[in-house]
Amino acid sequence: LSGHTAQPLRWKPRPTAADPQPPSEGTDLPVPLSVRPSRAYLYLSAAPVTDPSHTKAQNYKSRQSPRPRQTLAAGAAPRCTLGLVVLPPFPPELWRSGVPGALERAVAEAAADSHPLMAAADGPVPTCVLGIDLGTTSVKAALVTGTERGLALAQSCSRDTQAHSDSLGAAPQGMEQDVQKIIKALNECLAALPQQQLQQVTHIGISGQMHGVVFWKSDKGCKWSESGTGPAFEPEQVSHLITWQDGRCSPTFLSSLPLPQSHVSLATGFGCATVYWYLKNSPDFLKAYDAAGTIQDYVVAMLCDLKKPLMSVQNAASWGYFNCRNKSWNTDILKNSGFPVHLLPEVGDPGSIAGRTTCAWHGIPKGAKVGIALGDFQCSVYSCLAERTDAVLNISTSAQLTISMPMGFQPPEAPDPSSAVTYFPYFNGDYLAVAASLNGGNVLATFVGMVAQWAQELGFQVQESAIYPRIIQAALAQKHSKLSVHPTIFGERHLPELLASVSGIGASELSLGHVTRALCRGLVENLSSMLPVQHLEEMGVRRILGSGSALARNEVLRQEVERIFPFPVVYGKDVDAAVGAAMVMFHSK
């Protein structure tokens, strides 16, 4: 800033409800200088000329209506201001609370009316991030950009994978997906996004379905070829993905395995349990591969050409036999039982960088930073959870009820097998308490399929897409039902042999409306039994953020949520794992 007078930074007090008497101006803050991290921002503000031909990308957090974007007309000479803002070195617990993040946004808004060009002291802040989520039924890609008012969703695209594949060795309990079809859907998503924006991507965040496992040959995991939008990869020597829904590991089989040193109870569909199943039932299958990971770990490994897969703590915990306290696999326990430990990936912290793209990918430049693969559940929560007093209720294919645990919480060293609550590693050492039910929208879909099958057996052809809205309308006409439905047709991880049941059947309540109402109520009651209202109140929950496709399209389900939970319920919160994965890259070090 040569030639300019350096002005001292001052503390400018502003009374708030939480602090009605802040320190007077110029008062030194009682924070030890040795505490890190701190942030410094260099900003450039300009008085712009509004160009109505441009519209700003829709603000993702507040969902404001598009407004004229402030851009400089050609040849205009704006009045510019250059400034430096330094945030104090807040204690670590304050960083985790989100307060400095709010201050960062306040600095950005106060610093300039147009475009603050901000750079953190520890490196440039990305301006465009690609977030990817490899879900159970679909793939989504989202372009998230940094704007003067925070992060904004610029573009997104999703494709159904239709990847279900027969499991020859474990039918009918097996649940597998064709990795070729998953990557094909991913390539289609990226090809549909604007090339100009993909060329600006500097970081890639990737999340996906947890617990599952895919195997590959490290030197022949994929082959790269030219596509219409640039280089792309296709799987080569890669197995099917054995998903979290896989049921080949029976309770008897699981009880025969060594006891893990982990806070997470082992369940069928977990990566390590599946490896044990192959080890005991088809050992030759494993000899064909030398690498393994979740589907999102596979994609990161291919993009960065990793010879040894890298897995986040989030995904490692979902595999089983992983100790979150010391961030290591139960290597001794696994070795002593003959487990092929060479297949275990290396483990890193969520939010860290796994590597860089080794070549251009659908227009994304070579050298773009790729984050370590994350859990889709954690990224979904990250995209919407703003306050520790919020609980997140998501009902999609399955259903989850989630709350944040207090800072510093550590899960018990050994799990309670009968507990319905699991503690998921989150970010920055925090944990989420999760009631993760295997029964959600998939139960409603099964019910609709049953109705369609009955109609067909009676000689009528009715599309399932036509049945769903009709049963919802019928249920809306029945405000109460004495029927009691326990809808656990898929069991639960803590009670795998639990089946569904119906009781309280009366002759006057056999209509489709009564049954649908009782089924929706049963789904919500099941979640509430796993994480009771009393516990939510004790944890200081003040509201529930409702999300998920099943909740969005089913008014009866929403009514039952409001009846069972004594908290304000906010619907339409954007729970989006692809966006959450991108947001993590913006906030990562």
Side-chain angles (χ1 to χ4, degrees):
L1 302 179
S2 175
H4 292 264
T5 302
Q7 298 294 328
L9 294 172
R10 291 184 178 273
W11 170 261
K12 295 184 178 180
R14 180 177 297 177
T16 65
D19 189 8
Q21 293 183 325
S24 58
E25 185 167 350
T27 301
D28 291 336
L29 297 180
V31 180
L33 291 177
S34 61
V35 178
R36 292 293 182 268
S38 59
R39 291 286 191 273
Y41 292 96
L42 182 68
Y43 68 85
L44 176 67
S45 65
V49 178
T50 299
D51 185 349
S53 66
H54 294 80
T55 57
K56 179 189 170 190
Q58 193 176 36
N59 185 282
Y60 189 75
K61 275 295 181 188
S62 61
R63 288 297 184 195
Q64 295 172 345
S65 299
R67 60 179 177 82
R69 185 179 183 181
Q70 295 176 319
T71 56
L72 290 175
R79 177 174 58 82
C80 297
T81 303
L82 184 66
L84 179 69
V85 176
V86 180
L87 294 182
F90 295 103
E93 62 270 16
L94 198 57
W95 279 103
R96 287 195 293 268
S97 73
V99 171
L103 281 176
E104 289 184 35
R105 292 190 292 272
V107 167
E109 293 176 6
D113 291 329
S114 55
H115 303 282
L117 305 178
M118 299 187 293
D122 53 1
V125 173
T127 56
C128 186
V129 173
L130 173 66
I132 294 171
D133 178 52
L134 306 168
T136 306
T137 58
S138 65
V139 168
K140 182 171 183 179
L143 284 168
V144 177
T145 59
T147 73
E148 70 274 15
R149 297 190 62 83
L151 303 183
L153 177 61
Q155 297 283 343
S156 68
C157 177
S158 63
R159 292 286 188 275
D160 290 340
T161 57
Q162 298 179 336
H164 176 74
S165 180
D166 291 335
S167 175
L168 299 179
Q173 293 84 10
M175 189 66 73
E176 300 183 10
Q177 291 184 351
D178 187 339
V179 176
Q180 293 273 359
K181 293 182 179 179
I182 295 173
I183 301 304
K184 179 175 180 290
L186 174 59
N187 286 327
E188 290 175 355
C189 273
L190 296 180
L193 293 175
Q195 278 287 299
Q196 186 176 4
Q197 288 182 305
L198 286 174
Q199 292 168 5
Q200 299 172 6
V201 168
T202 58
H203 292 65
I204 302 172
I206 301 177
S207 72
Q209 48 180 305
M210 298 188 298
H211 306 294
V213 57
V214 60
F215 304 90
W216 67 92
K217 195 76 173 172
S218 58
D219 58 344
K220 295 182 180 179
C222 72
K223 56 182 178 182
W224 288 82
S225 60
E226 283 293 327
S227 66
T229 54
F233 73 87
E234 296 178 357
E236 195 170 9
Q237 292 190 18
V238 181
S239 73
H240 280 172
L241 167 66
I242 298 90
T243 78
W244 60 274
Q245 295 175 309
D246 189 85
R248 70 186 68 197
C249 298
S250 66
T252 302
F253 177 81
L254 291 172
S255 65
S256 71
L257 302 180
L259 191 66
Q261 187 182 5
S262 170
H263 76 277
V264 180
S265 295
L266 194 65
T268 185
F270 281 28
C272 284
T274 302
V275 174
Y276 267 123
W277 187 92
Y278 277 112
L279 187 65
K280 296 193 175 186
N281 292 278
S282 183
D284 290 340
F285 171 86
L286 296 175
K287 294 177 182 178
Y289 307 103
D290 61 3
T294 64
I295 183 64
Q296 56 268 32
D297 296 322
Y298 166 75
V299 172
V300 169
M302 297 305 103
L303 290 178
C304 303
D305 193 24
L306 301 180
K307 299 308 177 187
K308 181 77 172 177
L310 184 59
M311 176 182 273
S312 71
V313 170
Q314 296 173 353
N315 288 323
S318 79
W319 261 27
Y321 292 96
F322 183 81
N323 189 314
C324 287
R325 294 198 176 202
N326 57 29
K327 299 179 182 179
S328 65
W329 298 105
N330 300 166
T331 308
D332 291 341
I333 295 174
L334 295 169
K335 278 184 177 179
N336 291 337
S337 60
F339 188 97
V341 293
H342 68 278
L343 291 175
L344 295 173
E346 295 179 355
V347 180
D349 288 327
S352 60
I353 301 299
R356 293 176 179 267
T357 52
T358 55
C359 66
W361 185 43
H362 288 284
I364 299 169
K366 175 183 177 181
K369 291 184 177 180
V370 182
I372 191 169
L374 305 168
D376 56 354
F377 180 75
Q378 287 90 336
C379 287
S380 294
V381 173
Y382 196 86
S383 71
C384 73
L385 189 64
E387 305 291 341
R388 286 185 176 271
T389 54
D390 290 341
V392 178
L393 171 64
N394 180 70
I395 306 180
S396 298
T397 303
S398 54
Q400 303 87 26
L401 180 59
T402 310
I403 56 175
S404 296
M405 295 305 292
M407 290 180 293
F409 168 84
Q410 287 292 325
E413 292 189 6
D416 178 359
S418 63
S419 175
V421 176
T422 305
Y423 299 104
F424 281 31
Y426 194 42
F427 296 95
N428 302 318
D430 287 346
Y431 284 84
L432 300 172
V434 185
S437 172
L438 298 176
N439 300 274
N442 50 1
V443 174
L444 292 169
T446 302
F447 177 63
V448 169
M450 180 189 74
V451 173
Q453 183 178 349
W454 284 7
Q456 184 178 10
E457 290 174 359
L458 292 171
F460 302 99
Q461 292 294 331
V462 183
Q463 296 294 323
E464 291 187 12
S465 58
I467 294 174
Y468 198 93
R470 293 189 180 184
I471 65 171
I472 298 302
Q473 287 300 317
L476 287 172
Q478 306 295 338
K479 298 300 182 184
H480 303 284
S481 175
K482 294 179 181 178
L483 279 173
S484 178
V485 176
H486 295 276
T488 51
I489 58 175
F490 298 105
E492 295 291 5
R493 288 196 175 97
H494 63 290
L495 292 171
E497 295 178 322
L498 181 67
L499 296 177
S501 63
V502 182
S503 60
I505 304 172
S508 62
E509 298 197 356
L510 295 177
S511 72
L512 208 50
H514 284 100
V515 175
T516 304
R517 168 69 67 175
L519 179 59
C520 291
R521 185 175 68 244
L523 286 171
V524 181
E525 287 178 338
N526 182 53
L527 268 180
S528 178
S529 70
M530 296 170 72
L531 190 53
V533 168
Q534 181 181 353
H535 188 59
L536 297 179
E537 292 173 334
E538 292 171 353
M539 293 298 295
V541 170
R542 295 179 182 174
R543 68 171 179 171
I544 290 180
L545 308 180
S547 65
S549 55
L551 201 59
R553 65 188 294 199
N554 189 330
E555 186 178 346
V556 180
L557 209 52
R558 295 195 296 271
Q559 289 177 353
E560 294 302 325
V561 168
E562 294 166 17
R563 188 184 67 83
I564 292 169
F565 292 104
F567 308 104
V569 182
V570 179
Y571 298 106
K573 293 300 289 185
D574 295 294
V575 177
D576 189 318
V579 172
M583 290 171 64
V584 171
M585 289 297 97
F586 269 100
H587 299 152
S588 65
K589 296 181 180 179

